[in-house]
Every structure is written in structure tokens, then in C-alpha cells.
Amino acid sequence: WTAGKIPKDKLEHYQRTAAAADYYEKHPEIHADEPFQDPLSMVNFLRKNRKDESSLGYLALSLWTAGKIPNDKLEHYQRTAGAADYALDKQEIIENQIRQAYTQTSKLPHEHGFMAELKRRMDRSLFTQKRNPNLEISDSYFNLVMRCAMVMYGAEIVKTH
């Protein structure tokens, strides 16, 4: 809180943003040539290029400070990055759920409604909130997690199963 110039309730936000900008400057491995047009391409880029265990959401903030994410899309990109982190944290569970659900589905991967049926056959009680493991993640977040999981590793499971 510098001489009253930054409101106290915004100080943590500014500190985090400044640290993310510093991170970007110190880590050329995440320097993208062009701005990202969609969050999943950003997630794939960061997964391939990050050299530490920083969360994908934090790295998205770093990219945003460098102008690599549209100003009005930061929240969407960070939400997708967080869903990708969740999918990576729960990868073993999700892979098992995909395999099990795939054996029960009547649709093929290229057919309309395949993903909806696959997700319906999964045990949603396994998809809990990180901060409150007694609560399941929301339907919209589950859909985003599964979208990320399918892009990162699920499509390969379905293809080879």
C-alpha cells in the first residue's frame, strides 16, 4: 500500500500481478510468439514449456501481463487453466473413469452426444472441490475439466481403447 495510492483491498491483486509479470520476464520458456486465440492452445503450450510446478492459472496471468491473452478474456483463460490443473491432479481417476464409462457407452467417439453420454456414466462423487472435498465440483466446471482432460490425455485413451 504505497502512500495510499493503491487501495488496501487491491494490494494483493497488484502484488500477484507484478510477480506474474516478473515471472514472465525471468522465464523465456513461456514466451509465446503470438497472442493465444483460445485457452486450450494456451494450456497445451504451457504444459509443454513450463519448467516448474507453477499452476497453469498463474502462468496464464503471466502471459496476460505480457499481452499474450486478450485483456477481456483473462478470467476465462484462468478458469480453463485451473480446470486443466484439476484434470492433471486427478489424471489417474479421470483416466479410469473414461475407460470405465467408454466400455458402457453405446456411442462411438465421432458420434454426436458421445461426450455427454461418457460424462453421464462417470462417478461424479469422485470429482470434489479442492478446498471442500465433501462437495462435488459444479456441472459447468466438470464439463470444463473433462474438456481439458480429453484434449490433454482422454482422446488418446478413447482412440486406443
Side-chain angles (χ1 to χ4, degrees):
W1 180 43
T2 335
K5 301 285 184 196
I6 298 174
K8 284 184 182 180
D9 63 332
K10 299 281 187 193
L11 182 59
E12 187 176 326
H13 165 74
Y14 286 119
Q15 287 173 329
R16 183 170 166 81
T17 303
D22 286 344
Y23 185 95
Y24 184 85
E25 292 301 318
K26 293 175 183 171
H27 291 83
E29 68 273 9
I30 66 164
H31 290 188
D33 294 332
E34 299 292 325
F36 292 96
Q37 300 304 311
D38 70 275
L40 288 175
S41 65
M42 176 206 63
V43 165
N44 283 331
F45 172 82
L46 290 174
R47 283 187 59 231
K48 290 175 188 163
N49 293 293
R50 71 176 166 177
K51 302 290 186 216
D52 59 25
E53 295 299 313
S54 295
S55 75
L56 294 172
Y58 181 73
L59 296 179
L61 180 61
S62 291
L63 290 172
W64 177 79
T65 66
K68 301 301 181 180
I69 294 173
N71 280 334
D72 61 337
K73 302 282 187 195
L74 176 61
E75 187 176 323
H76 176 58
Y77 277 65
Q78 282 190 303
R79 182 171 167 82
T80 302
D85 277 331
Y86 185 98
L88 291 169
D89 289 346
K90 300 262 188 180
Q91 184 170 347
E92 185 177 342
I93 291 169
I94 294 172
E95 285 178 344
N96 289 335
Q97 286 295 299
I98 291 170
R99 284 187 192 94
Q100 183 178 343
Y102 185 57
T103 62
Q104 300 169 358
T105 185
S106 62
K107 297 191 181 294
L108 295 173
H110 65 277
E111 291 183 280
H112 178 72
F114 169 76
M115 275 306 297
E117 185 174 340
L118 191 73
K119 290 185 289 190
R120 265 195 312 276
R121 295 182 181 280
M122 293 182 167
D123 181 357
R124 285 293 304 278
S125 69
L126 298 174
F127 297 85
T128 57
Q129 297 177 9
K130 288 182 181 182
R131 289 193 176 125
N132 190 346
N134 296 324
L135 294 176
E136 291 178 12
I137 59 176
S138 69
D139 290 342
S140 64
Y141 198 63
F142 175 72
N143 289 334
L144 187 55
V145 166
M146 289 309 302
R147 201 165 132 226
C148 292
M150 291 304 286
V151 167
M152 293 187 296
Y153 52 80
E156 189 63 30
I157 293 170
V158 171
K159 185 170 82 174
T160 60
H161 203 58

Short mmCIF file of all heavy atoms in Angstrom, two decimals, residues 79 83 86-87 94 97 115-116 118-128 136-149:
data_model
loop_
_atom_site.label_atom_id
_atom_site.label_comp_id
_atom_site.label_asym_id
_atom_site.label_seq_id
_atom_site.Cartn_x
_atom_site.Cartn_y
_atom_site.Cartn_z
N ARG A 79 -9.72 -19.68 -15.73
CA ARG A 79 -10.66 -20.75 -15.35
C ARG A 79 -10.32 -22.03 -16.10
O ARG A 79 -10.30 -23.12 -15.53
CB ARG A 79 -12.09 -20.32 -15.60
CG ARG A 79 -13.13 -21.34 -15.17
CD ARG A 79 -14.54 -20.74 -15.26
NE ARG A 79 -15.57 -21.73 -15.17
CZ ARG A 79 -16.04 -22.26 -14.05
NH1 ARG A 79 -15.53 -21.87 -12.89
NH2 ARG A 79 -17.00 -23.15 -14.07
N ALA A 83 -8.98 -25.56 -14.57
CA ALA A 83 -9.62 -26.84 -14.88
C ALA A 83 -8.59 -27.84 -15.41
O ALA A 83 -8.64 -29.04 -15.09
CB ALA A 83 -10.74 -26.64 -15.90
N TYR A 86 -6.67 -29.10 -12.47
CA TYR A 86 -7.51 -30.08 -11.78
C TYR A 86 -7.45 -31.42 -12.52
O TYR A 86 -7.29 -32.47 -11.90
CB TYR A 86 -8.95 -29.57 -11.70
CG TYR A 86 -9.89 -30.45 -10.91
CD1 TYR A 86 -10.18 -30.16 -9.59
CD2 TYR A 86 -10.49 -31.55 -11.48
CE1 TYR A 86 -11.05 -30.96 -8.85
CE2 TYR A 86 -11.35 -32.37 -10.77
CZ TYR A 86 -11.63 -32.07 -9.45
OH TYR A 86 -12.48 -32.88 -8.73
N ALA A 87 -7.59 -31.38 -13.85
CA ALA A 87 -7.55 -32.60 -14.65
C ALA A 87 -6.20 -33.31 -14.54
O ALA A 87 -6.13 -34.54 -14.55
CB ALA A 87 -7.87 -32.29 -16.11
N ILE A 94 -9.49 -39.74 -13.49
CA ILE A 94 -10.21 -39.40 -14.72
C ILE A 94 -9.95 -40.44 -15.80
O ILE A 94 -10.87 -40.86 -16.50
CB ILE A 94 -9.86 -37.97 -15.18
CG1 ILE A 94 -10.37 -36.95 -14.15
CG2 ILE A 94 -10.45 -37.69 -16.56
CD1 ILE A 94 -9.92 -35.52 -14.40
N GLN A 97 -12.01 -43.40 -15.03
CA GLN A 97 -13.43 -43.10 -15.29
C GLN A 97 -13.72 -43.10 -16.79
O GLN A 97 -14.76 -43.60 -17.22
CB GLN A 97 -13.81 -41.76 -14.67
CG GLN A 97 -13.95 -41.80 -13.17
CD GLN A 97 -15.11 -42.69 -12.75
OE1 GLN A 97 -16.25 -42.44 -13.09
NE2 GLN A 97 -14.79 -43.75 -12.03
N MET A 115 -19.67 -37.41 -25.88
CA MET A 115 -19.12 -36.85 -24.63
C MET A 115 -20.19 -36.74 -23.55
O MET A 115 -19.91 -37.03 -22.38
CB MET A 115 -18.49 -35.49 -24.88
CG MET A 115 -17.05 -35.54 -25.34
SD MET A 115 -15.95 -36.50 -24.27
CE MET A 115 -16.02 -35.58 -22.75
N ALA A 116 -21.39 -36.36 -23.92
CA ALA A 116 -22.46 -36.25 -22.94
C ALA A 116 -22.74 -37.61 -22.30
O ALA A 116 -22.88 -37.72 -21.07
CB ALA A 116 -23.72 -35.69 -23.58
N LEU A 118 -20.67 -40.21 -22.20
CA LEU A 118 -19.48 -40.60 -21.45
C LEU A 118 -19.49 -39.96 -20.06
O LEU A 118 -19.29 -40.63 -19.05
CB LEU A 118 -18.22 -40.18 -22.23
CG LEU A 118 -16.90 -40.73 -21.73
CD1 LEU A 118 -16.78 -42.22 -22.07
CD2 LEU A 118 -15.75 -39.96 -22.35
N LYS A 119 -19.76 -38.65 -20.01
CA LYS A 119 -19.77 -37.94 -18.72
C LYS A 119 -20.90 -38.43 -17.82
O LYS A 119 -20.73 -38.52 -16.60
CB LYS A 119 -19.87 -36.43 -18.95
CG LYS A 119 -18.60 -35.84 -19.55
CD LYS A 119 -18.65 -34.34 -19.66
CE LYS A 119 -19.60 -33.90 -20.73
NZ LYS A 119 -19.51 -32.47 -21.04
N ARG A 120 -22.05 -38.75 -18.41
CA ARG A 120 -23.18 -39.26 -17.60
C ARG A 120 -22.83 -40.57 -16.91
O ARG A 120 -23.37 -40.87 -15.85
CB ARG A 120 -24.40 -39.48 -18.50
CG ARG A 120 -25.36 -38.34 -18.55
CD ARG A 120 -26.72 -38.72 -19.13
NE ARG A 120 -26.65 -39.46 -20.37
CZ ARG A 120 -26.53 -38.91 -21.58
NH1 ARG A 120 -26.42 -37.60 -21.70
NH2 ARG A 120 -26.49 -39.65 -22.66
N ARG A 121 -21.97 -41.35 -17.49
CA ARG A 121 -21.62 -42.66 -16.94
C ARG A 121 -20.46 -42.61 -15.94
O ARG A 121 -20.05 -43.63 -15.41
CB ARG A 121 -21.31 -43.63 -18.07
CG ARG A 121 -22.52 -43.90 -18.94
CD ARG A 121 -22.24 -44.89 -20.03
NE ARG A 121 -23.39 -45.13 -20.86
CZ ARG A 121 -24.39 -45.93 -20.55
NH1 ARG A 121 -24.39 -46.58 -19.39
NH2 ARG A 121 -25.41 -46.11 -21.37
N MET A 122 -19.96 -41.44 -15.67
CA MET A 122 -18.86 -41.29 -14.71
C MET A 122 -19.39 -41.10 -13.30
O MET A 122 -20.48 -40.57 -13.12
CB MET A 122 -17.97 -40.10 -15.10
CG MET A 122 -17.23 -40.32 -16.38
SD MET A 122 -16.19 -38.89 -16.73
CE MET A 122 -15.17 -39.57 -18.02
N ASP A 123 -18.61 -41.51 -12.35
CA ASP A 123 -18.96 -41.36 -10.94
C ASP A 123 -18.60 -39.95 -10.49
O ASP A 123 -17.46 -39.65 -10.16
CB ASP A 123 -18.21 -42.39 -10.10
CG ASP A 123 -18.55 -42.32 -8.62
OD1 ASP A 123 -19.33 -41.43 -8.21
OD2 ASP A 123 -18.03 -43.17 -7.87
N ARG A 124 -19.61 -39.08 -10.49
CA ARG A 124 -19.37 -37.67 -10.18
C ARG A 124 -18.91 -37.45 -8.74
O ARG A 124 -18.30 -36.42 -8.44
CB ARG A 124 -20.64 -36.85 -10.44
CG ARG A 124 -20.95 -36.60 -11.91
CD ARG A 124 -19.92 -35.69 -12.55
NE ARG A 124 -19.77 -34.42 -11.88
CZ ARG A 124 -20.54 -33.37 -12.04
NH1 ARG A 124 -21.53 -33.40 -12.89
NH2 ARG A 124 -20.33 -32.27 -11.36
N SER A 125 -19.15 -38.38 -7.86
CA SER A 125 -18.72 -38.20 -6.46
C SER A 125 -17.19 -38.18 -6.34
O SER A 125 -16.66 -37.75 -5.33
CB SER A 125 -19.31 -39.29 -5.56
OG SER A 125 -18.71 -40.54 -5.86
N LEU A 126 -16.49 -38.63 -7.35
CA LEU A 126 -15.03 -38.61 -7.34
C LEU A 126 -14.46 -37.24 -7.70
O LEU A 126 -13.27 -36.99 -7.53
CB LEU A 126 -14.49 -39.65 -8.33
CG LEU A 126 -14.86 -41.11 -8.03
CD1 LEU A 126 -14.38 -42.01 -9.15
CD2 LEU A 126 -14.28 -41.54 -6.69
N PHE A 127 -15.31 -36.36 -8.20
CA PHE A 127 -14.88 -35.04 -8.66
C PHE A 127 -15.29 -34.01 -7.61
O PHE A 127 -16.34 -33.39 -7.71
CB PHE A 127 -15.51 -34.72 -10.02
CG PHE A 127 -15.05 -35.67 -11.10
CD1 PHE A 127 -15.68 -36.88 -11.30
CD2 PHE A 127 -13.97 -35.34 -11.91
CE1 PHE A 127 -15.24 -37.75 -12.29
CE2 PHE A 127 -13.53 -36.19 -12.90
CZ PHE A 127 -14.17 -37.41 -13.08
N THR A 128 -14.42 -33.85 -6.62
CA THR A 128 -14.74 -32.97 -5.50
C THR A 128 -13.91 -31.70 -5.54
O THR A 128 -12.87 -31.63 -6.20
CB THR A 128 -14.48 -33.69 -4.16
OG1 THR A 128 -13.12 -34.12 -4.12
CG2 THR A 128 -15.40 -34.89 -4.00
N GLU A 136 -19.04 -31.82 -4.41
CA GLU A 136 -18.67 -32.08 -5.80
C GLU A 136 -18.46 -30.75 -6.53
O GLU A 136 -19.02 -29.72 -6.15
CB GLU A 136 -19.79 -32.85 -6.52
CG GLU A 136 -19.96 -34.26 -6.02
CD GLU A 136 -21.10 -35.00 -6.71
OE1 GLU A 136 -21.62 -34.51 -7.74
OE2 GLU A 136 -21.48 -36.07 -6.22
N ILE A 137 -17.64 -30.80 -7.57
CA ILE A 137 -17.47 -29.62 -8.41
C ILE A 137 -18.77 -29.38 -9.18
O ILE A 137 -19.57 -30.30 -9.37
CB ILE A 137 -16.26 -29.74 -9.37
CG1 ILE A 137 -16.39 -30.94 -10.30
CG2 ILE A 137 -14.96 -29.80 -8.58
CD1 ILE A 137 -15.29 -31.05 -11.34
N SER A 138 -18.98 -28.16 -9.61
CA SER A 138 -20.22 -27.82 -10.32
C SER A 138 -20.27 -28.51 -11.68
O SER A 138 -19.24 -28.95 -12.21
CB SER A 138 -20.31 -26.31 -10.53
OG SER A 138 -19.33 -25.89 -11.46
N ASP A 139 -21.46 -28.59 -12.24
CA ASP A 139 -21.63 -29.19 -13.57
C ASP A 139 -20.81 -28.45 -14.62
O ASP A 139 -20.16 -29.09 -15.46
CB ASP A 139 -23.10 -29.19 -13.99
CG ASP A 139 -23.94 -30.17 -13.18
OD1 ASP A 139 -23.37 -31.08 -12.55
OD2 ASP A 139 -25.17 -30.01 -13.17
N SER A 140 -20.83 -27.13 -14.58
CA SER A 140 -20.09 -26.37 -15.60
C SER A 140 -18.59 -26.59 -15.46
O SER A 140 -17.87 -26.71 -16.46
CB SER A 140 -20.45 -24.89 -15.55
OG SER A 140 -20.04 -24.32 -14.34
N TYR A 141 -18.09 -26.65 -14.23
CA TYR A 141 -16.66 -26.88 -14.02
C TYR A 141 -16.30 -28.31 -14.41
O TYR A 141 -15.25 -28.55 -15.02
CB TYR A 141 -16.27 -26.57 -12.58
CG TYR A 141 -14.78 -26.37 -12.40
CD1 TYR A 141 -14.12 -25.33 -13.04
CD2 TYR A 141 -14.03 -27.22 -11.60
CE1 TYR A 141 -12.75 -25.14 -12.88
CE2 TYR A 141 -12.67 -27.04 -11.44
CZ TYR A 141 -12.04 -26.00 -12.08
OH TYR A 141 -10.68 -25.82 -11.92
N PHE A 142 -17.15 -29.28 -14.10
CA PHE A 142 -16.92 -30.66 -14.51
C PHE A 142 -16.81 -30.75 -16.03
O PHE A 142 -15.91 -31.41 -16.56
CB PHE A 142 -18.07 -31.56 -14.01
CG PHE A 142 -17.98 -32.98 -14.49
CD1 PHE A 142 -17.02 -33.84 -14.00
CD2 PHE A 142 -18.87 -33.45 -15.44
CE1 PHE A 142 -16.94 -35.16 -14.45
CE2 PHE A 142 -18.81 -34.76 -15.89
CZ PHE A 142 -17.84 -35.61 -15.40
N ASN A 143 -17.70 -30.06 -16.74
CA ASN A 143 -17.64 -30.07 -18.21
C ASN A 143 -16.33 -29.48 -18.71
O ASN A 143 -15.72 -30.01 -19.65
CB ASN A 143 -18.83 -29.30 -18.79
CG ASN A 143 -20.12 -30.04 -18.61
OD1 ASN A 143 -20.16 -31.27 -18.49
ND2 ASN A 143 -21.22 -29.31 -18.55
N LEU A 144 -15.86 -28.41 -18.08
CA LEU A 144 -14.61 -27.79 -18.49
C LEU A 144 -13.42 -28.70 -18.15
O LEU A 144 -12.50 -28.85 -18.96
CB LEU A 144 -14.46 -26.42 -17.82
CG LEU A 144 -13.28 -25.56 -18.26
CD1 LEU A 144 -13.25 -25.35 -19.77
CD2 LEU A 144 -13.32 -24.23 -17.52
N VAL A 145 -13.44 -29.31 -16.99
CA VAL A 145 -12.38 -30.25 -16.60
C VAL A 145 -12.31 -31.39 -17.62
O VAL A 145 -11.22 -31.76 -18.09
CB VAL A 145 -12.62 -30.81 -15.18
CG1 VAL A 145 -11.75 -32.03 -14.89
CG2 VAL A 145 -12.38 -29.72 -14.14
N MET A 146 -13.46 -31.93 -17.98
CA MET A 146 -13.47 -33.04 -18.93
C MET A 146 -13.02 -32.61 -20.32
O MET A 146 -12.36 -33.37 -21.03
CB MET A 146 -14.85 -33.70 -18.98
CG MET A 146 -15.18 -34.49 -17.72
SD MET A 146 -13.88 -35.68 -17.25
CE MET A 146 -13.81 -36.69 -18.74
N ARG A 147 -13.37 -31.40 -20.70
CA ARG A 147 -12.90 -30.88 -22.00
C ARG A 147 -11.37 -30.81 -22.00
O ARG A 147 -10.72 -31.23 -22.95
CB ARG A 147 -13.52 -29.51 -22.25
CG ARG A 147 -13.51 -29.13 -23.70
CD ARG A 147 -14.46 -27.96 -23.93
NE ARG A 147 -13.73 -27.00 -24.72
CZ ARG A 147 -13.66 -25.72 -24.50
NH1 ARG A 147 -14.33 -25.17 -23.52
NH2 ARG A 147 -12.96 -24.93 -25.27
N CYS A 148 -10.81 -30.29 -20.93
CA CYS A 148 -9.36 -30.22 -20.80
C CYS A 148 -8.74 -31.62 -20.77
O CYS A 148 -7.73 -31.88 -21.44
CB CYS A 148 -8.96 -29.44 -19.54
SG CYS A 148 -9.35 -27.68 -19.60
N ALA A 149 -9.32 -32.50 -19.98
CA ALA A 149 -8.80 -33.87 -19.87
C ALA A 149 -8.81 -34.58 -21.22
O ALA A 149 -7.84 -35.27 -21.56
CB ALA A 149 -9.61 -34.66 -18.84
#
